[in-house]
Amino acid sequence: MLADKEITDRIIGAAIQVHKSLAPGFLEAIYEEALAAEFDHLSIGYDRQRTIGIEYRGRPIGEHRLDFLVEGKVIVELKAVQAIADIHFAVVR
């Protein structure tokens, strides 16, 4: 299994390649498909649209789908926005 820094370095490199190739302006679904293709090209292991349970005070209250869970360790949530806001971090807290 890859070390955490190596995983994140490879994810960032893949995302940069997708960004360079496609540039801004597409919906998140387009970037997600392109990033999956780049992960496949680089032999980076991932689960796509993985469902996780959300709990509050030990009680299940719903589900959320992760864009990617890379190498079973790193959550990647794609955002096609001009700037990241605090609300975009809610899923990873």
Side-chain angles (χ1 to χ4, degrees):
M1 187 163 268
L2 299 172
D4 293 352
K5 179 162 178 17
E6 185 178 356
I7 294 168
T8 56
D9 286 349
R10 294 185 75 203
I11 291 167
I12 292 166
I16 289 170
Q17 181 59 44
V18 168
H19 179 72
K20 281 182 180 180
S21 296
L22 296 180
F26 294 103
L27 296 175
E28 288 175 18
I30 297 295
Y31 297 111
E32 182 178 329
E33 191 65 38
L35 191 55
E38 190 65 20
F39 286 163
D40 289 340
H41 175 73
L42 297 171
S43 299
I44 296 172
Y46 64 91
D47 289 328
R48 188 170 168 190
Q49 292 296 314
R50 181 165 186 184
T51 301
I52 59 168
I54 307 297
E55 293 184 358
Y56 179 74
R57 295 187 181 264
R59 176 179 161 182
I61 59 168
E63 295 181 333
H64 177 74
R65 287 184 188 256
L66 303 175
D67 291 339
F68 292 96
L69 179 61
V70 180
E71 298 290 341
K73 292 183 171 187
V74 180
I75 295 170
V76 176
E77 287 288 320
L78 301 177
K79 298 295 171 214
V81 295
Q82 290 221 335
I84 301 295
D86 288 343
I87 195 166
H88 295 123
F89 291 98
V91 70
V92 295
R93 287 193 178 142

